[in-house]
């Protein structure tokens, strides 16, 4: 999955200070990439999980995308099918669509 930071409609940063400038900032699902040589059924499951993910957004520090964004550190979580909902908010969809491992890599870019 790709998650990008954006301010909610009508929200603007109040200063250049990182803490206060994140007020109103949310991470939104922006798409995903999959290998083209995987089983078509598995590819469909990934696509459906992507659609499921569009119903979520995360504040910095919340959910896996928010924690990775705030820390700036990569993360690898396996066995998420048994994770507590407070650790992995999308656990319901992960179980339905067979997602068992997530990897997060923060990308620092001024373009997004």
């Amino acid at each position: 999955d790709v998650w990008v930071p954006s301010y909610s409609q009508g929200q603007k940063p109040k200063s250049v200070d990182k803490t206060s400038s994140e007020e109103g900032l949310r991470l939104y699902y922006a798409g995903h990439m999959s290998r083209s040589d995987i089983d078509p059924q598995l590819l469909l499951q990934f696509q459906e999980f992507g659609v499921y993910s569009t119903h979520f957004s995360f504040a910095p520090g919340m959910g896996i995308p928010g924690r990775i964004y705030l820390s700036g550190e990569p993360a690898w979580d396996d066995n998420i099918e048994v994770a507590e909902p407070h650790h992995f908010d999308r656990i319901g969809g992960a179980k339905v669509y067979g997602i068992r491992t997530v990897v997060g890599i923060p990308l620092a870019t001024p373009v997004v």
Side-chain angles (χ1 to χ4, degrees), residues 21-91:
S21 70
E22 289 178 351
E23 185 176 324
L25 184 73
R26 305 280 301 176
L27 290 134
Y28 294 93
Y29 177 80
H32 69 277
M33 290 292 296
S34 297
R35 293 174 31 177
S36 61
D37 62 344
I38 63 173
D39 178 89
Q41 181 61 36
L42 184 58
L43 182 60
L44 180 61
Q45 287 176 279
F46 288 161
Q47 291 169 339
E48 290 173 344
F49 184 68
V51 171
Y52 175 81
S53 294
T54 64
H55 299 286
F56 293 83
S57 68
F58 298 96
M62 304 304 294
I64 291 174
R67 289 193 303 270
I68 292 168
Y69 173 81
L70 194 61
S71 73
E73 296 292 324
W76 175 290
D77 286 334
D78 54 5
N79 297 319
I80 60 166
E81 69 274 11
V82 296
E84 295 294 324
H86 71 273
H87 180 72
F88 187 66
D89 301 71
R90 297 174 292 150
I91 186 68

